[in-house]
Amino acid sequence: MTECCRRRRVPQVSMPEAVRIAYEEGPKWINCFGRAAGFMTTCVLVFGQFLLCTVYLVFVSKNFKEIGDHYIERYNERYYVLAACLLLLPLFMIRRLKYLVPLNLISNFLLYAGFALIMYYLFNGLPNINDREMATPPVEWIEFIAIAAFSLTAVGSMLVVEAHMAHPQSYLGLFGVLNLAVLFILLSNMFFGIIGYWRFGDSVHASITLNIPQDEILSQFIKVFIATGIFLSYPLNGFVVITVMFSDYENSEPRGRYRTLIEYVVRLVFLFLTGAVAIGVPNLAALTELEGAFSLSNLNLLCPALIDMFLNYNVGYGRLMWKLIRDILLMLIGLIFGTVGCTVAIMQLIRDFQLTLNSM
């Protein structure tokens, strides 16, 4: 994308714009597909963020349901999804990124506080490590990779944050903001994955917060902290969708008189559509797997590989065509991983939706 900016002499481009430029810089026979490819990339970005926000709603509802079941009656989880949507409504109507910054600071504080407190349950009563299986059948590895990839697929958020930074040059580089953030996420995932499985074994849930007790004050604080932190991060991830959908519209002149009204309507529809999907298929593991497989394969593998391959078409692929070989391998991995991961997740979601229909 930086190379696209250099060639077109513009300060920044979005990922859909980068895909369009790459197609225009590639072989002549694909130049005409640039606009269509850019539009498809926009659709992928929007759908990926849609799945991400749906996962957040399911996560929040499951954790607050456990607290509600302890203190109140056992209401259906879907009522908690609806309540979360209603509470999110005023927050999601915020139209300026700078006003979302305080929400995300509070969100990060609550998440880290919850992570620190949950150590008590993770390290209290650790069994002998030899009681746990050290490996699972290879067929389950795809599911694991898809769920783990969920934490690394926020390409939309990455791009929006970079575009609004006061010093975007600090974002990239070996010790840039992006690399340090991803490194922290990887180490966190490794820690919670290893310790969580060591502590709870095969009974570990899609979220470690669902394994801690329901009736203890400390565990309830942990659930509230982490669920509220995720709840407050929903507006930023939804903001990405609005930015992607309205970027071309905002750049057109003159601006439409009803642009603000249309944006509010889109925000409202997006919020309640994510709520509807969360109500229909509240399977946290399957939704997380689908989002991880779909976004990682498309936004982290296929799109970057295509952009790089077409941009290097006229300048060469290096010694022994190593750049072309790398890009083709990335695309193959993306296609295989995306196809298998999405198929497994969709099959599970279809079964869950059928159960939902039967219970109505």
Side-chain angles (χ1 to χ4, degrees):
M1 291 171 65
T2 304
E3 177 63 16
C4 289
C5 293
R6 188 189 67 80
R7 294 192 185 188
R8 294 302 165 96
R9 297 182 180 179
V10 293
Q12 62 186 34
V13 295
S14 64
M15 180 170 275
E17 290 171 334
V19 170
R20 177 180 58 79
I21 293 170
Y23 270 70
E24 293 172 355
E25 295 280 328
K28 288 185 177 180
W29 63 271
I30 65 158
N31 294 166
C32 59
F33 298 110
R35 287 190 177 276
F39 176 74
M40 288 298 296
T41 307
T42 298
C43 294
V44 169
L45 269 170
V46 169
F47 186 63
Q49 292 298 125
F50 178 87
L51 289 174
L52 180 66
C53 291
T54 303
V55 171
Y56 282 1
L57 284 178
V58 174
F59 177 87
V60 169
S61 63
K62 283 185 178 293
N63 280 275
F64 278 114
K65 182 185 185 307
E66 292 213 335
I67 299 173
D69 288 350
H70 180 70
Y71 287 104
I72 324 173
E73 295 183 32
R74 287 181 171 270
Y75 290 108
N76 192 295
E77 180 183 324
R78 293 166 176 85
Y79 290 114
Y80 287 90
V81 175
L82 182 59
C85 288
L86 294 175
L87 291 172
L88 275 170
L89 187 56
L91 299 178
F92 195 48
M93 293 299 114
I94 298 175
R95 299 178 56 240
R96 294 289 178 266
L97 185 62
K98 64 179 180 179
Y99 298 129
L100 294 177
V101 172
L103 288 180
N104 282 276
L105 288 175
I106 297 171
S107 169
N108 286 334
F109 172 79
L110 292 173
L111 287 171
Y112 296 144
F115 293 157
L117 293 174
I118 207 171
M119 300 300 172
Y120 170 78
Y121 292 103
L122 290 179
F123 288 101
N124 186 23
L126 277 176
N128 191 318
I129 189 66
N130 295 320
D131 294 339
R132 303 296 184 217
E133 290 186 33
M134 293 295 104
T136 60
V139 71
E140 297 180 11
W141 295 358
I142 290 288
E143 181 180 0
F144 158 74
I145 295 171
I147 293 176
F150 175 83
S151 298
L152 302 172
T153 56
V155 172
S157 303
M158 294 174 186
L159 300 178
V160 169
V161 169
E162 182 187 20
H164 289 79
M165 284 178 66
H167 304 287
Q169 63 272 17
S170 303
Y171 199 62
L172 300 177
L174 184 60
F175 298 103
V177 173
L178 180 59
N179 275 354
L180 293 178
V182 171
L183 177 63
F184 180 78
I185 291 170
L186 286 172
L187 294 176
S188 299
N189 276 357
M190 291 171 63
F191 173 79
F192 282 104
I194 293 171
I195 301 300
Y197 178 69
W198 185 0
R199 174 67 178 81
F200 299 107
D202 292 333
S203 63
V204 69
H205 288 287
S207 168
I208 200 72
T209 57
L210 302 178
N211 279 99
I212 60 180
Q214 288 181 260
D215 55 351
E216 296 183 15
I217 295 296
L218 178 60
S219 66
Q220 291 165 4
F221 269 113
I222 293 171
K223 292 175 190 289
V224 169
F225 282 0
I226 295 181
T228 305
I230 294 296
F231 175 86
L232 293 176
S233 63
Y234 181 105
L236 174 62
N237 289 283
F239 181 88
V240 173
V241 174
I242 306 303
T243 301
V244 170
M245 292 178 67
F246 282 87
S247 58
D248 294 334
Y249 185 74
E250 281 186 327
N251 292 332
S252 60
E253 294 293 343
R255 293 189 181 185
R257 270 189 296 177
Y258 302 107
R259 187 241 181 259
T260 302
L261 177 61
I262 294 172
E263 181 180 331
Y264 280 129
V265 171
V266 171
R267 287 175 178 270
L268 187 67
V269 171
F270 178 84
L271 175 60
F272 284 104
L273 277 178
T274 56
V277 174
I279 288 172
V281 282
N283 185 322
L284 185 60
L287 283 170
T288 304
E289 181 183 351
L290 177 61
E291 202 284 330
F294 178 83
S295 293
L296 185 77
S297 60
N298 284 284
L299 300 177
N300 295 54
L301 295 171
L302 290 175
C303 278
L306 280 172
I307 292 172
D308 187 71
M309 183 169 65
F310 292 151
L311 286 179
N312 287 315
Y313 177 73
N314 291 315
V315 298
Y317 295 106
R319 181 175 295 179
L320 300 178
M321 309 282 281
W322 72 271
K323 291 182 181 179
L324 180 61
I325 295 171
R326 175 196 60 189
D327 293 337
I328 292 174
L329 286 175
L330 284 174
M331 287 190 286
L332 287 174
I333 294 170
L335 286 171
I336 296 171
F337 170 63
T339 302
V340 176
C342 289
T343 301
V344 172
I346 289 172
M347 289 172 61
Q348 181 60 52
L349 290 173
I350 290 173
R351 287 194 291 268
D352 281 12
F353 185 64
Q354 290 172 342
L355 292 174
T356 300
L357 292 178
N358 293 335
S359 64
M360 293 177 65

